[in-house]
Amino acid sequence: MKRHGRLFDEIFTAENLYQGYLAARKKKRSSRACYLFEKALGDNIARLLDEVHGNLYQPSPYHTFQVYEPKPRLIHAPAFRDRVVQHAIYSHIYPIFNQSFLQDSYACRVGFGTHKASSCLQGAMRQCSPDDYFLQLDIRKFFYRIDRDILLTLLERKIKDTRLLDMMMLFAYGEGPIGIPIGNLLSQLYALVYLDPLDHFVKRELKAKHYLRYVDDFILIGYSRQECFALRAIIEEFLSDVLRLELSKSTIQKISKGINFVGYRTWRSRKLVRRHSLYKFRRAVKKNDVKAVVSLIGHAKHTESMPHLCDVLSKSSINLPRKVSKKLKEGEYHAL
């Protein structure tokens, strides 16, 4: 396995930090933190360079807050200057690790979002008998239980630059002895890296033909009921022994019952968005929240839920962007 060195000096240049700033300011242009950073942009980048190369850099305290959808989580939002540093690192490190990620791993990867995951799931279901079973598993409090020593070992498989590794691990530390903060850009990459051994184990050792994983939610499709129970025991042992993780819940059902995955209820012949998404859509329309409405339309496009969404819109006075309205009228968002 090729290991990459001499990355620290390549990443931490004025130009790359400037590119990191450009990436960090996307969707943050209206924030005060972004304004203050770019108000003295040259000085702030120079200060970051001095701190990094002088081994003086430390991330600022996180801004923490709770979110409740899709489930309760404590978010650690980094300071803007730390976003800049993370983007500079991420742009160089992500391509190195992405080369070894399997096609069955979704989330936080370019071109591997919920729509592709859902489409591939339905394709796998159609290749199996409706009387076959699927095994769906979820990892208990995944981000909070990541072992940082194991994470560092996995990062060292690809990176041999100790200065860069030390810098990267600064963004992995949390309040307890295990776990990484939810909210960091690099935490998304760390999650991909940490569960990559699971993907390779399931595909190479267990020889799973139909397998998909979206963060800590993963599915194996096309087995008998007894085989699903056996696979669950083997995977549970692997997670415990190799990654120090444990399962939260599991589902073993016939494919004909449908699968709830990445925000969709999927069958071999049709697909619907979850009921909670319909509730959120109706609430957003009622509140005239155009941004939320457009987002939910994008989520529901090409599902059999679109006629219901269109019916709700027809009874409202909300003004959608012209491009979205045109696609709705022309039927481009209707189920395929």
Side-chain angles (χ1 to χ4, degrees):
M1 182 179 295
K2 181 180 179 181
R3 299 177 69 219
H4 298 258
R6 300 180 180 180
L7 293 172
F8 186 90
D9 291 330
E10 179 181 325
I11 292 173
F12 293 110
T13 65
E15 174 59 28
N16 282 328
L17 284 178
Y18 176 71
Q19 293 300 320
Y21 150 73
L22 293 178
R25 75 174 185 175
K26 292 180 180 179
K27 300 182 181 180
K28 297 290 182 181
R29 295 300 300 272
S30 60
S31 71
R32 178 172 175 78
C34 178
Y35 166 74
L36 292 175
F37 189 90
E38 64 183 7
K39 186 177 179 181
L41 182 59
D43 290 341
N44 283 322
I45 288 180
R47 188 176 298 111
L48 278 177
L49 275 177
D50 290 342
E51 290 180 14
V52 168
H53 287 280
N55 297 321
L56 301 173
Y57 174 80
Q58 287 291 328
S60 302
Y62 292 103
H63 168 59
T64 60
F65 58 94
Q66 194 85 14
V67 298
Y68 298 94
E69 291 185 7
K71 57 186 177 181
R73 293 176 299 168
L74 182 64
I75 304 298
H76 292 74
F80 187 81
R81 70 193 297 270
D82 300 324
R83 292 179 185 272
V84 172
V85 173
Q86 289 192 57
H87 275 283
I89 296 173
Y90 185 88
S91 63
H92 281 70
I93 299 305
Y94 171 78
I96 294 174
F97 285 95
N98 190 53
Q99 293 176 355
S100 64
F101 295 152
L102 299 184
Q103 298 294 307
D104 312 279
S105 170
Y106 299 86
C108 306
R109 299 177 64 190
V110 178
F112 286 79
T114 57
H115 287 294
K116 183 170 183 177
S118 176
S119 177
C120 289
L121 170 66
Q122 192 171 52
M125 295 171 72
R126 288 170 174 170
Q127 293 181 44
C128 301
S129 166
D131 291 325
D132 286 341
Y133 284 77
F134 70 89
L135 169 64
Q136 186 169 13
L137 301 169
D138 184 79
I139 297 173
R140 184 184 304 278
K141 296 182 178 179
F142 171 53
F143 282 91
Y144 302 110
R145 294 176 180 264
I146 287 178
D147 187 306
R148 293 191 284 266
D149 291 334
I150 295 176
L151 173 62
L152 178 58
T153 299
L154 294 173
L155 293 174
E156 288 175 334
R157 291 182 179 180
K158 291 283 189 178
I159 301 173
K160 58 183 178 181
D161 189 323
T162 55
R163 287 194 300 168
L164 177 59
L165 287 169
D166 289 344
M167 176 68 71
M168 292 175 67
M169 291 305 293
L170 289 176
F171 299 103
Y173 294 118
E175 297 175 355
I178 60 174
I180 62 174
I182 300 176
N184 278 329
L185 172 66
L186 287 176
S187 292
Q188 300 176 10
L189 176 60
Y190 296 160
L192 287 166
V193 171
Y194 202 84
L195 287 183
D196 187 53
L198 170 65
D199 298 338
H200 287 269
F201 174 74
V202 172
K203 293 295 290 186
R204 295 182 178 182
E205 300 297 325
L206 301 184
K207 308 296 183 182
K209 182 178 180 180
H210 302 297
Y211 166 75
L212 302 94
R213 180 175 63 79
Y214 194 91
V215 192
D216 58 344
D217 187 1
F218 53 105
I219 301 176
L220 292 86
I221 307 170
Y223 296 92
S224 69
R225 190 168 183 269
Q226 292 72 23
E227 287 173 330
C228 286
F229 280 109
L231 287 169
R232 183 176 65 183
I234 294 171
I235 293 172
E236 191 169 23
E237 182 179 9
F238 175 85
L239 288 172
S240 176
D241 294 346
V242 178
L243 299 176
R244 302 294 187 266
L245 298 171
E246 61 183 65
L247 294 176
S248 170
K249 58 184 178 181
S250 64
T251 301
I252 297 175
Q253 283 188 342
K254 285 187 176 182
I255 291 174
S256 60
K257 296 289 186 179
I259 302 177
N260 194 338
F261 186 59
V262 296
Y264 300 97
R265 292 178 291 153
T266 304
W267 290 264
R268 297 171 78 241
S269 60
R270 63 195 179 108
K271 185 192 309 181
L272 301 171
V273 299
R274 295 173 63 186
R275 291 187 180 91
H276 184 63
S277 295
L278 297 178
Y279 164 75
K280 287 170 59 180
F281 181 80
R282 291 191 293 268
R283 185 178 61 181
V285 170
K286 187 175 181 179
K287 292 183 176 181
N288 203 35
D289 187 345
V290 175
K291 184 177 180 180
V293 168
V294 171
S295 175
L296 289 164
I297 289 174
H299 174 64
K301 66 181 181 181
H302 307 321
T303 73
E304 280 74 7
S305 296
M306 278 306 302
H308 174 73
L309 269 61
C310 291
D311 182 58
V312 173
L313 289 172
S314 68
K315 299 175 183 177
S316 73
S317 57
I318 190 169
N319 292 317
L320 296 176
R322 183 178 302 176
K323 184 177 180 180
V324 176
S325 297
K326 181 179 179 181
K327 287 186 176 181
L328 287 171
K329 290 179 181 178
E330 294 176 354
E332 291 187 34
Y333 284 160
H334 290 180
L336 297 177

